[in-house]
Amino acid sequence: MLSTWRTLLQPLPGICQVCGGWPTRPVCENCARRFAGPAARCRGCAAPVPEGLSRCGACLTRIEPQPLQACAAAVDYTYPWDRLIARFKFRGEPGWATPFAQRMLQSAHARDLLTQCGLVVPVPLTSTRLAERGYNQAWELVKAVQQQARLQGMALPALASPDALVRLVEAPDQHSLSREQRLQNLRGVFAAHPDRVAHIRAAHVLLVDDVTTTGATLHAGAQALLQAGAARVSALVFARTPPPD
Ligand SMILES: [Zn+2]
Ligand SMILES: [Zn+2]
């Protein structure tokens, strides 16, 4: 039943879901270009940087080592992507994974991370949330990215695992919290799956999510993977909340 509904709720074929133009893809090339966001992003945190630079000021001057070594993002978490992500995540439209994955693969940094990593892992949902939603949007992105990469002839040595990282509890509402408070909140939320530790150990793990706001969730997930023996952890997200002006 659920799958029937899901098929019915896939993005309308042939009509741009942003401008209504047709015949075209779910997001037409004009809208994709218009809302493409910054061309250059920091390799450490995916924040926008001036063209030609590879690190933002915060990443360049940070002293303490970060659990996340690199982060790539496709777009800013702003209109129209925020609305499309809400449909992807909350309105039973997992089909958005494909157009999102196509945009993710346009970043050279994302392509590098994908070819260099040994294990691709989605940021997990709790089992309760997964049962409610019927799918983990981050795992849908992993599968779509792999499928699109294969179609483009990219060599992908990486293994993908939907459950190498486990979310033990739902973190309390994070919306109004600072990055530090979020990190505090996320303590003990993630753990490596004991049966997947052999894959995680000594691997370069690529953590995939739909959105990153402060990076706290990716940070906490990366910490759990490093504790389980990962050699390093990078992240690939579809959208990143732009830093405040
Ligand atoms: Zn359009
Ligand atoms: Zn940065």
Side-chain angles (χ1 to χ4, degrees):
M1 186 62 190
L2 198 59
S3 64
T4 319
W5 275 107
R6 233 183 261 143
T7 319
L8 291 173
L9 293 169
Q10 289 297 303
L12 296 171
I15 296 175
C16 173
Q17 301 294 295
V18 182
C19 70
W22 65 280
T24 183
R25 303 187 199 179
V27 178
C28 75
E29 274 315 305
N30 269 344
C31 288
R33 252 198 310 277
R34 183 164 165 218
F35 300 108
R41 291 182 181 274
C42 170
R43 294 204 148 220
C45 70
V49 289
E51 200 75 53
L53 296 187
S54 60
R55 295 270 160 183
C56 72
C59 284
L60 271 177
T61 52
R62 195 174 278 124
I63 298 162
E64 73 276 21
Q66 293 295 302
L68 210 58
Q69 239 185 27
C71 183
V75 298
D76 276 343
Y77 187 54
T78 50
Y79 180 86
W81 311 111
D82 51 355
R83 294 167 193 212
L84 300 178
I85 289 168
R87 290 172 58 174
F88 175 46
K89 211 158 144 165
F90 303 120
R91 287 187 230 149
E93 299 184 16
W96 282 103
T98 300
F100 291 170
Q102 287 164 345
R103 304 229 73 78
M104 286 157 94
L105 285 170
Q106 286 182 347
S107 143
H109 188 208
R111 297 170 75 94
D112 286 349
L113 291 176
L114 272 165
T115 46
Q116 288 160 8
C117 72
L119 175 65
V120 189
V121 168
V123 168
L125 304 176
T126 57
S127 43
T128 318
R129 182 63 57 82
L130 183 61
E132 281 165 15
R133 193 170 295 170
Y135 59 95
N136 173 4
Q137 72 277 3
W139 177 239
E140 296 302 312
L141 283 177
V142 170
K143 289 187 292 181
V145 161
Q146 287 196 310
Q147 189 192 35
Q148 294 300 313
R150 263 184 228 115
L151 285 174
Q152 295 178 18
M154 270 173 74
L156 286 182
L159 207 74
S161 166
D163 62 353
L165 191 63
V166 179
R167 191 187 287 250
L168 303 170
V169 284
E170 210 60 66
D173 186 33
Q174 301 270 76
H175 279 94
S176 56
L177 303 182
S178 71
R179 181 180 153 88
E180 280 62 39
Q181 290 170 319
R182 287 182 187 221
L183 281 173
Q184 191 75 24
N185 249 356
L186 286 163
R187 252 190 216 150
V189 162
F190 297 110
H193 194 301
D195 298 347
R196 306 284 176 265
V197 169
H199 296 311
I200 296 169
R201 203 166 277 154
H204 175 190
V205 183
L206 185 63
L207 202 49
V208 174
D209 209 357
D210 53 339
V211 179
T212 181
T213 304
T214 61
T217 301
L218 295 172
H219 182 115
Q223 254 169 349
L225 290 162
L226 290 171
Q227 265 159 22
R232 58 191 169 114
V233 184
S234 303
L236 171 59
V237 299
F238 174 58
R240 184 199 194 281
T241 300
D245 294 326

